[in-house]
Amino acid sequence: MAVGAEMEKEFESKLRLQQQQQGTKQQAMQRANSIAFRAPQEQFAIDDFELGKMYGTGSYSKVVRAKKKDTGNVYALKIMDKKFITKENKISYVKLERIVLDQLDHPGIIRLFFTFQDTYSLYMALESCEGGELFDQIIRKGRLSEDEARFYAAEVVDALEYLHGLGLIHRDIKPENLLLTSDGHIKLADFGSVKPIKDTPLTVLPNSTAEKACTFVGTAAYIPPEVLNSCPATYSNDLWALGCTLYQMLSGSSPFKDASEWLIFQRIMARDLHFPDYFSDKARDLIDQLLDVDPTKRPGWSSYASLKGHPFFRGIDWKNLRHTPSPKLVSESNKNEEEEEQDPVWNLTHVGSGGSDSGNGAGSSAGTTSNQQAASTPNGGHNGSGGAAPSSSDAYPHLSHLASIDSFDSRWQEFLEPGEAIVMISKLKKIQKITNKKVQLLLTDKPKLICVDPSKMQAKCNIIWSDDPNCLSVQCTSPSHFKICTPKKVISFEDSKERAAQWKMAIEALQNRRFN
Ligand SMILES: Nc1ncnc2c1ncn2[C@@H]1O[C@H](COP(=O)(O)OP(=O)(O)OP(=O)(O)O)[C@@H](O)[C@H]1O
């Protein structure tokens, strides 16, 4: 109780301090604080809700499915830790997201219903998008058909037209922020990076329209070249990101994808853009125009008529979008069944054979595309799967039986350094305090352990251990559970195929190798 009260006080006083530091902005801030919100600030408590599955985690929040016990209404509850957002200086982002979402009213934009808080957390009750992220649909389907991409792109254009009409730049358009309702329609989410322009008719925080040299927000792969050149944000930033997103829908991979942010930025600056053969002329032309290095030449810049009238969108009923039948959603459970069937097989014949057959076969179209793109970049830093495996199996034959056909899946190559080879790889559950997370764990011959979030294809942690075996140890707590212990942390995993002992053996074999 005392700790809670203390924390509340600290949060409020930090907020006050920030307001004072902002001088004249304070009055306007108070005005923003005192406006009548459409989405009310309720007196609810977290116990008023039945919490369901975790939808996802953001950089300063987690989003959970929550059913209000008395009404039965379901929300996506965005939970933000007060201490964390204060420490990370995110208060203004949270406030801006709240105040902006409160004023938006469009079927293609996530709705905010109400907010509440307790000692530790701030809560935003958002419209629940049961269909998940468009990103997952792309991953599950490999890539979308042109009809599917046209439908989703049209709904995004419709939402952007509304947003830009209100003087707002989203600044983080990407498939992860395009959520889907249970009936498969798009809802634009994540307004944490939103930028109001000076003349916006909306009530916003006073400092949020200030024209600074570009503040670096957004996601590397979708950032336009002018932002990399420090130009202030414009609506056209979202049009570039739309072009990247449409490309990703059609190919399975973003156009400038590469092994590191630095390489991505190099490709963006060089407009190193290649279209797969199967893109139609209309799709290629629209993307080419949206990815124009001159922001004023992108369709949608001067008027949305040029964007909506592009031949790619022929046949779209713009007035009736939300009543147009949507593409069929592929659910996670379908995918899991498929994945279970292909789950790692300990297959000696694939190891040391060059792996080219498996490499070509195992990669999804998303992975294949990204690999092809990476191979075309001068500094690619990627290995073909055929190149990586032999180095491990030739040099350390006692390890080779631990590799699986998954190690030849080209998708994982992007996490490796040149010459680095996968020794063992598997889909595991990372056991955490609140939720468990599905991860892909890669053991490489560096030796290194890489933990990848497969839904986002992001490396979540790298454990590189030194020559001292005491730096890292593996404990098996059951046939399916093991812990990787380093001086700084202990990470627990569950392997549903009961290969805990094999993980321990593989890791220890690499440790011993150093002393042989
Ligand atoms: N209304 C919603 N319905 C269903 N899922 C949601 C909803 N809002 C967010 N999510 C899921 O929760 C995850 C976290 O969302 P959140 O807005 O907190 O952060 P983010 O956009 O992923 O990240 P960041 O804040 O770092 O930009 C998202 O990736 C999304 O999949």
Side-chain angles (χ1 to χ4, degrees):
M1 178 68 191
V3 177
E6 187 109 314
M7 197 183 286
E8 185 117 307
K9 238 169 77 192
E10 188 192 342
F11 178 75
E12 294 300 340
S13 73
K14 280 240 173 113
L15 181 56
R16 260 199 308 278
L17 190 70
Q18 280 183 10
Q19 288 170 349
Q20 279 161 15
Q21 284 165 348
Q22 286 158 6
T24 54
K25 286 179 242 156
Q26 191 179 13
Q27 281 176 352
M29 182 81 91
Q30 279 164 351
R31 183 165 48 89
N33 278 341
S34 64
I35 65 163
F37 286 122
R38 178 189 65 188
Q41 290 170 299
E42 299 285 7
Q43 299 297 317
F44 298 146
I46 192 67
D47 288 347
D48 297 333
F49 298 83
E50 206 178 281
L51 300 184
K53 69 168 180 175
M54 172 86 83
Y55 281 135
T57 48
S59 42
Y60 53 89
S61 58
K62 24 182 192 287
V63 179
V64 184
R65 190 176 192 273
K67 189 181 194 176
K68 184 102 195 322
K69 287 177 184 164
D70 56 355
T71 60
N73 292 338
V74 171
Y75 304 98
L77 203 57
K78 182 160 175 164
I79 308 174
M80 293 156 283
D81 182 80
K82 286 180 178 178
K83 206 169 178 182
F84 185 76
I85 56 177
T86 308
K87 193 170 125 249
E88 297 288 312
N89 262 327
K90 296 286 182 196
I91 295 171
S92 56
Y93 291 84
V94 175
K95 288 191 143 247
L96 186 61
E97 182 172 24
R98 198 260 187 257
I99 198 173
V100 163
L101 270 184
D102 191 65
Q103 297 168 83
L104 300 183
D105 185 7
H106 186 275
I109 292 176
I110 209 85
R111 174 94 189 223
L112 174 70
F113 290 102
F114 53 84
T115 61
F116 61 98
Q117 60 175 305
D118 58 26
T119 309
Y120 301 103
S121 306
L122 302 173
Y123 302 86
M124 292 207 296
L126 299 163
E127 181 176 2
S128 178
C129 287
E130 309 276 326
E133 299 174 6
L134 178 62
F135 179 87
D136 292 323
Q137 292 301 310
I138 300 173
I139 293 288
R140 287 171 200 161
K141 292 181 178 175
R143 58 183 158 98
L144 307 186
S145 71
E146 215 147 286
D147 281 342
E148 291 174 319
R150 184 178 2 267
F151 173 88
Y152 292 132
E155 291 205 327
V156 179
V157 166
D158 187 48
L160 282 180
E161 183 179 22
Y162 169 79
L163 213 58
H164 291 173
L166 286 175
L168 296 173
I169 310 164
H170 184 279
R171 295 202 295 179
D172 204 9
I173 298 292
K174 58 177 178 177
E176 288 95 324
N177 287 336
L178 302 173
L179 303 184
L180 292 160
T181 58
S182 53
D183 57 355
H185 288 271
I186 290 277
K187 297 267 176 186
L188 183 48
D190 192 5
F191 283 73
S193 309
V194 76
K195 170 92 182 164
I197 60 148
K198 224 162 116 227
D199 300 326
T200 178
L202 300 182
T203 303
V204 292
L205 302 180
N207 58 335
S208 55
T209 59
E211 278 297 332
K212 307 177 224 169
C214 128
T215 321
F216 206 79
V217 298
T219 306
Y222 308 85
I223 289 178
E226 67 272 15
V227 170
L228 296 176
N229 281 326
S230 298
C231 296
T234 68
Y235 302 132
S236 205
N237 301 166
D238 290 342
L239 299 171
W240 172 281
L242 171 68
C244 294
T245 302
L246 178 56
Y247 182 108
Q248 187 166 352
M249 289 188 223
L250 291 169
S251 73
S253 179
S254 57
F256 304 107
K257 185 170 176 170
D258 216 309
S260 68
E261 287 197 350
W262 190 82
L263 289 171
I264 290 172
F265 294 156
Q266 298 289 307
R267 294 194 57 199
I268 294 171
M269 292 307 286
R271 198 175 183 270
D272 181 10
L273 175 65
H274 308 277
F275 291 105
D277 295 342
Y278 52 80
F279 276 26
S280 73
D281 289 345
K282 289 171 191 164
R284 193 182 291 238
D285 183 70
L286 176 57
I287 295 167
D288 198 43
Q289 289 190 43
L290 286 167
L291 299 183
D292 199 307
V293 286
D294 181 348
T296 64
K297 295 221 172 98
R298 294 172 201 152
W301 167 251
S302 51
S303 96
Y304 263 77
S306 63
L307 179 52
K308 291 162 83 176
H310 189 279
F312 177 75
F313 287 122
R314 198 158 293 147
I316 290 290
D317 181 358
W318 291 99
K319 292 219 161 62
N320 219 11
L321 271 180
R322 309 300 294 190
H323 298 109
T324 306
S326 59
K328 195 170 179 301
L329 297 179
V330 174
S331 68
E332 194 178 10
S333 53
N334 296 350
K335 169 73 179 173
N336 277 348
E337 275 160 26
E338 282 165 27
E339 278 186 346
E340 282 305 314
E341 282 163 25
Q342 307 168 355
D343 209 32
V345 180
W346 305 113
N347 190 339
L348 276 175
T349 59
H350 290 85
V351 181
S353 63
S356 53
D357 293 345
S358 319
N360 293 337
S364 65
S365 58
T368 309
T369 306
S370 79
N371 219 33
Q372 283 163 350
Q373 285 171 359
S376 71
T377 60
N379 301 318
H382 289 246
N383 304 308
S385 50
S391 71
S392 153
S393 52
D394 293 346
Y396 314 108
H398 58 292
L399 292 178
S400 63
H401 67 285
L402 293 166
S404 75
I405 57 170
D406 257 13
S407 62
F408 297 100
D409 185 330
S410 55
R411 278 184 301 165
W412 312 115
Q413 297 300 322
E414 67 177 279
F415 300 102
L416 307 181
E417 288 171 28
E420 190 177 7
I422 296 175
V423 173
M424 186 161 171
I425 180 167
S426 193
K427 247 191 318 296
L428 303 175
K429 251 189 225 157
K430 187 171 163 210
I431 314 286
Q432 301 176 134
K433 263 191 201 137
I434 302 173
T435 54
N436 298 336
K437 223 174 162 28
K438 282 184 204 149
V439 295
Q440 193 85 23
L441 189 65
L442 283 64
L443 173 66
T444 78
D445 63 354
K446 200 156 174 71
K448 188 167 39 168
L449 276 157
I450 308 166
C451 194
V452 177
D453 176 348
S455 65
K456 297 210 153 68
M457 287 304 276
Q458 281 172 0
K460 286 296 173 194
C461 62
N462 278 348
I463 303 172
I464 306 167
W465 67 92
S466 69
D467 284 1
D468 179 0
N470 296 327
C471 270
L472 185 137
S473 65
V474 188
Q475 289 171 16
C476 294
T477 50
S478 81
S480 49
H481 290 80
F482 64 100
K483 288 181 182 173
I484 294 177
C485 313
T486 69
K488 284 198 180 141
K489 56 185 167 193
V490 175
I491 313 173
S492 302
F493 295 97
E494 180 188 322
D495 185 329
S496 61
K497 297 275 173 13
E498 304 200 332
R499 285 173 301 224
Q502 279 166 300
W503 276 102
K504 182 174 163 68
M505 192 166 87
I507 292 168
E508 287 176 353
L510 281 168
Q511 285 178 316
N512 294 336
R513 165 191 103 182
R514 301 216 150 208
F515 297 93
N516 287 341

